[in-house]
Amino acid sequence: MSSLFASLSVAVNALHAEQGALDATANNVANANTPGFSRERPVFTEGDPVTLGALTVGTGVILQRLEAVRDPILQLRIDDETQQQGRLDALVAGMNQLQVRFSASDGDIGNLISKFFASINQLSTDPGNLALRQGVLLAAGNVASAFRNTYADLQDQRTNLDLNVIQDVNQVNSLSKQISGLNAEIVAMQNLGRDPSALEDQRQALIEQLGGLIDVATVQSESGLTLTTRSGSAMVVANQSFALSVRPDSSGLQRIYYQGSDITGNITSGELSGLLQLRDEEIPGVAAQLDTLAAGLANQVNAAHHGGFDLSGTPGGDLFVAPSGSGVGAAGVLAVQITDPARLAASSDSSSPGDNGNLLALAAVRDQAIGSGSSPTNYYSSIIFGVGNEIANDSAELDASKLMLRQLQDQRSAVSGVSLDEEATNLIRYQRAYEASARLVTVINDMLQSVINLGKE
Amino acid sequence: MRVNPNVMPDLLAALEQSQEQQQNALLELASSRRINQPSDDPGGAALLAQIRDQSSLADSFLRSAGSVSGQLQMADSALSSVVETLQRAISLGIEGGTSTASDSDRAAIANEVSGLRDQMVSLANLSYQGRYVFAGTAVAQPFVLDPNVASGIRYTGNAGVNSVEIGNGFRVQVNQPGSEIFNAAGADVFQAIQDLSTALQTNTGIDNAVIAVRKAFDCVTQKRVFYGNSIQQIESQKNYLNSAKLQLGQQENTVAAADMMAVASHLINAQNARNATLAAIGKTSQLSLFDYLR
């Protein structure tokens, strides 16, 4: 036989359960627009049945816990894509800054080289003309300063990237510290049997931020969450975080160290990797090409100039300041050696200052191969192609990555996002159930009243 | 499958995209260029750099051809005067050689012939923009009076010639040394005139002297052909360069110019897409079930 008090407790449990479910709904609705929030749903279970004589009766409902709805695998893919996007974002932004120097303009290196050769051709019509000679020196000076300015721009950009690297590393350290703190709190709450869902959401948001900066892999274990870089350096283990440090190398550029070892080359995604790729590969690559072009041009022009004689019949010296043997850094220091236009060796005959034979030799440098077998202009246009192509490829990759991330986030939102319609229906369900349970309490109360008053009056 | 309840981020992303397309199309329209930076079309941008170089080269060839052709024309017209002068000398010689000419006539004629020589020297010392045209590659006045020389005129220039590049690998010679024109072996202009003058004065060997002047006349006429040819070559090269420049310009257009019709339609498309997205955002019901519950 059953008991009224048992029924009463079933009704009261139900009241608690529905109230708890309403709490979840309230929290969901409140966080409908909170980024990174995962909706929660109540997990109801039946109470264990009790057998009273011949009857087995249910003991009502138990609200076991509120469960956050997440898809961990999807989250891993989002993390991956975020890291990829962080790298590409940094790369494209940096390269866009760089390509401005290589956009066609009156002052770009290629155009000034053309003008230099044009000035030589012009002088060949009147080799003794001092104004035309001055024109050649001026054009040579413009070529040199265009090289120097472009080179200095590249170096400036590199220095700025270096500062960004330091900032990013600081940010990484602060994030991993926060994550390890949250790790500790989450474990503590779990040990107390509490729901750490809110903290997990916060931690996830921080991990995403971290992934935007550096490549991280997440491993969930009993004792909490472990974050490592893809190359295996643990950054967060349970409640401990391990900081990265920066130290300048011999050239003054910051290297990234983990526990005393240099991991600069091992960072493969996230903004840091993009910055490092720009700083250590893209910009030095372009600078090296400029060096080859500057050194090649200067050497060829000088060689041709040596073969001639100036207005006073003296053999020609260097027209450009001779670049160093290796040519490294040549673009940064390119300068014109000659200041006196009379010293320009136009003649190929020491006794004929009106001869223009050597100007033809100088003009021929236009078609002579410098580095990798192409003429100066062709070499310059191959630099343009290289820079443009890099950006075009990276941009395409970035677009694809954005689309991918967008879709993944849509999927996440489909799983974890708050739907107000759904919450409204839940609200009705839980409210009605609550009302019903409350009604039950009233009914049982009435029945108990009847029992208590049995035999009276 | 649960539907993504939050579509706003997607709509915003779409909005951003159409805005970016709109900006790109506007930039293309404003600059009327398809390639504004290397990444717009790396291959095209590289090609463009080469085209610009070639076009700047053609420009410089054209300028050089212009100044060279001026110099050659000047030299040509000077030589034409020399030829006329020699012709005059020949007819004077013939006049002086006739039996009817008196001594005083011949003396007068000889005097005129001497005057022709001075005229010739000044033509041979022609300068163009401060340079002596018939001095070879030397810079000093090429023909100077010198009584120690038989003809009385000494050549101080050299035998050098200059060539100027007026096309890729196409060089044109821009001068002939004065010694080849005026002092050719057996046809020395000044010597012939000098001899004619002497012959007229002494009334001996006038016919031979006239023959010598005729030789000099032939020589100069022949040398003059060079200038005519060169000028013609330069003119045709100028035509070629102009058409090459035109072609390069067209090529640059093909590579870099924005297809205005296409860009305009891109712009309209982007604007339509943007308007549609905006309308969609405006109309996306912000209502939920909550609004229908009392």
Side-chain angles (χ1 to χ4, degrees):
Chain A
M1 77 156 260
S2 75
S3 122
L4 275 180
F5 284 108
S7 299
L8 191 60
S9 91
V10 166
V12 171
N13 276 348
L15 278 178
H16 284 156
E18 302 305 337
Q19 201 181 336
L22 272 175
D23 285 347
T25 297
N27 193 39
N28 284 349
V29 171
N31 283 299
N33 291 320
T34 308
F37 175 77
S38 302
R39 74 193 162 97
E40 292 182 319
R41 66 179 170 211
V43 180
F44 294 119
T45 46
E46 271 182 72
D48 292 337
V50 285
T51 307
L52 300 165
L55 274 181
T56 303
V57 290
T59 53
V61 66
I62 301 164
L63 176 59
Q64 278 211 313
R65 62 181 192 281
L66 298 179
E67 174 190 67
V69 184
R70 291 200 180 91
D71 182 341
I73 306 297
L74 190 61
Q75 190 56 52
L76 285 181
R77 292 189 56 197
I78 289 179
D79 290 351
D80 273 1
E81 212 54 55
T82 312
Q83 292 165 24
Q84 203 56 252
Q85 199 178 319
R87 180 179 81 86
L88 291 167
D89 259 334
L91 200 54
V92 169
M95 289 299 283
N96 267 328
Q97 207 179 326
L98 186 146
Q99 77 166 342
V100 175
R101 270 284 167 192
F102 296 94
S103 300
S105 73
D106 286 339
D108 76 74
I109 294 175
N111 198 19
L112 292 172
I113 291 178
S114 305
K115 283 188 175 151
F116 170 62
F117 286 115
S119 73
I120 289 177
N121 184 264
Q122 202 57 37
L123 177 58
S124 74
T125 64
D126 186 0
N129 188 323
L130 283 178
L132 290 180
R133 283 169 169 263
Q134 190 64 56
V136 171
L137 291 187
L138 211 65
N142 287 342
V143 169
S145 67
F147 268 110
R148 287 199 308 271
N149 291 340
T150 307
Y151 196 84
D153 270 6
L154 293 184
Q155 296 310 324
D156 282 354
Q157 202 185 345
R158 243 180 136 198
T159 314
N160 289 337
L161 286 168
D162 214 34
L163 290 177
N164 288 348
V165 166
I166 301 178
Q167 283 168 0
D168 275 9
V169 166
N170 286 340
Q171 221 176 330
V172 164
N173 288 340
S174 131
L175 284 170
S176 52
K177 200 165 183 182
Q178 290 178 51
I179 292 170
S180 65
L182 281 171
N183 256 352
E185 286 183 52
I186 288 168
V187 171
M189 282 185 83
Q190 276 168 339
N191 289 345
L192 290 173
R194 302 236 174 93
D195 172 30
S197 176
L199 295 181
E200 278 174 358
D201 283 341
Q202 276 181 36
R203 183 177 65 183
Q204 189 51 51
L206 292 179
I207 292 176
E208 263 177 55
Q209 272 185 47
L210 187 62
L213 296 173
I214 194 170
D215 51 347
V216 282
T218 38
V219 182
Q220 184 76 51
S221 68
E222 289 287 314
S223 56
L225 186 90
T226 302
L227 286 180
T228 66
T229 65
R230 303 267 161 187
S231 58
S233 315
M235 295 164 68
V236 177
V237 177
N239 58 1
Q240 266 192 301
S241 67
F242 300 92
L244 303 178
S245 58
V246 285
R247 225 183 294 154
D249 64 6
S250 57
S251 64
L253 293 173
Q254 303 291 341
R255 309 285 298 175
I256 300 172
Y257 286 85
Y258 173 77
Q259 305 275 304
S261 58
D262 186 347
I263 60 161
T264 314
N266 301 336
I267 297 168
T268 55
S269 55
E271 185 177 291
L272 261 177
S273 127
L275 295 177
L276 290 171
Q277 189 181 340
L278 275 171
R279 190 194 72 180
D280 298 342
E281 291 169 36
E282 304 297 346
I283 294 180
V286 173
Q289 282 177 304
L290 285 180
D291 284 345
T292 307
L293 181 58
L297 185 69
N299 284 330
Q300 303 266 29
V301 168
N302 282 349
H305 196 249
H306 286 182
F309 302 91
D310 65 13
L311 278 183
S312 59
T314 317
D318 285 339
L319 201 165
F320 287 106
V321 176
S324 68
S326 65
V328 175
V333 295
L334 192 67
V336 178
Q337 175 87 53
I338 297 179
T339 48
D340 177 6
R343 289 281 294 131
L344 203 63
S347 166
S348 53
D349 176 0
S350 61
S351 58
S352 313
D355 183 77
N356 73 357
N358 204 47
L359 290 175
L360 299 180
L362 278 169
V365 172
R366 199 179 63 222
D367 297 319
Q368 275 166 21
I370 55 142
S372 77
S374 44
S375 69
T377 312
N378 284 351
Y379 193 86
Y380 180 71
S381 68
S382 74
I383 300 181
I384 293 183
F385 177 79
V387 170
N389 202 34
E390 179 71 33
I391 301 173
N393 287 345
D394 292 340
S395 301
E397 223 181 308
L398 179 61
D399 286 346
S401 167
K402 273 185 182 162
L403 197 65
M404 188 72 172
L405 191 58
R406 176 91 271 131
Q407 277 173 358
L408 288 171
Q409 278 167 342
D410 280 356
Q411 278 183 41
R412 175 170 72 180
S413 177
V415 174
S416 308
V418 174
S419 155
L420 288 179
D421 293 340
E422 190 182 5
E423 299 308 328
T425 25
N426 284 346
L427 194 61
I428 298 168
R429 274 168 60 203
Y430 302 145
Q431 190 188 358
R432 290 297 172 207
Y434 187 87
E435 283 168 7
S437 303
R439 179 81 191 136
L440 204 60
V441 173
T442 318
V443 169
I444 294 171
N445 188 28
D446 286 352
M447 288 166 76
L448 282 171
Q449 192 72 41
S450 308
V451 173
I452 290 164
N453 289 339
L454 267 185
K456 272 198 176 171
E457 189 227 352
Chain B
M1 177 71 193
R2 201 163 172 266
V3 175
N4 175 16
N6 195 357
V7 290
M8 275 306 165
D10 287 347
L11 289 172
L12 274 178
L15 208 55
E16 239 172 64
Q17 202 183 359
S18 58
Q19 196 165 7
E20 194 187 338
Q21 283 167 353
Q22 201 176 338
Q23 273 170 3
N24 286 346
L26 275 175
L27 182 66
E28 264 189 51
L29 273 183
S31 66
S32 72
R33 291 170 72 82
R34 190 173 64 83
I35 302 177
N36 288 303
Q37 46 195 13
S39 62
D40 291 339
D41 175 0
L47 190 58
L48 213 55
Q50 291 175 357
I51 292 174
R52 280 161 54 102
D53 176 56
Q54 281 171 27
S55 147
S56 133
L57 199 61
D59 270 337
S60 91
F61 286 151
L62 269 175
R63 274 200 308 274
S64 297
S67 59
V68 165
S69 135
Q71 177 182 337
L72 288 171
Q73 260 156 10
M74 195 83 175
D76 186 51
S77 70
L79 287 188
S80 131
S81 304
V82 169
V83 168
E84 273 170 32
T85 315
L86 285 171
Q87 221 154 16
R88 175 77 184 136
I90 291 167
S91 44
L92 284 176
I94 292 169
E95 197 186 324
T98 52
S99 50
T100 53
S102 66
D103 281 359
S104 63
D105 285 345
R106 276 196 302 277
I109 291 171
N111 211 17
E112 191 180 345
V113 169
S114 287
L116 290 181
R117 192 192 65 162
D118 295 345
Q119 206 176 324
M120 211 99 71
V121 171
S122 105
L123 284 170
N125 280 331
L126 169 79
S127 77
Y128 176 73
Q129 292 181 353
R131 268 169 305 126
Y132 293 103
V133 173
F134 301 114
T137 57
V139 289
Q141 179 178 319
F143 294 96
V144 292
L145 292 172
D146 186 348
N148 297 327
V149 182
S151 64
I153 306 293
R154 188 162 52 87
Y155 180 60
T156 66
N158 61 22
V161 291
N162 274 340
S163 299
V164 167
E165 196 175 8
I166 53 166
N168 241 329
F170 177 47
R171 291 172 185 177
V172 60
Q173 187 181 327
V174 293
N175 69 319
Q176 289 188 115
S179 51
E180 284 180 21
I181 302 171
F182 298 99
N183 306 126
D188 189 309
V189 173
F190 304 117
Q191 188 71 57
I193 298 284
Q194 173 85 358
D195 289 352
L196 179 60
S197 170
T198 314
L200 284 166
Q201 277 162 8
T202 58
N203 196 14
T204 46
I206 295 178
D207 288 350
N208 282 342
V210 168
I211 288 170
V213 174
R214 228 185 258 286
K215 266 192 187 165
F217 169 86
D218 288 345
C219 174
V220 173
T221 310
Q222 196 196 330
K223 288 289 174 189
R224 205 189 137 198
V225 173
F226 158 84
Y227 289 94
N229 280 348
S230 295
I231 291 167
Q232 214 158 27
Q233 262 185 339
I234 290 172
E235 283 313 309
S236 73
Q237 178 66 7
K238 269 182 171 169
N239 287 340
Y240 166 74
L241 285 170
N242 277 322
S243 74
K245 260 191 57 139
L246 208 66
Q247 218 156 29
L248 285 168
Q250 273 171 355
Q251 210 181 337
E252 179 173 351
N253 244 358
T254 322
V255 174
D259 177 351
M260 287 304 192
M261 307 286 254
V263 178
S265 79
H266 284 167
L267 182 61
I268 293 169
N269 280 350
Q271 275 167 344
N272 285 344
R274 189 170 154 74
N275 289 341
T277 317
L278 283 172
I281 294 176
K283 284 190 181 138
T284 299
S285 170
Q286 294 301 312
L287 294 178
S288 74
L289 189 50
F290 281 109
D291 298 284
Y292 295 93
L293 303 175
R294 233 182 334 96

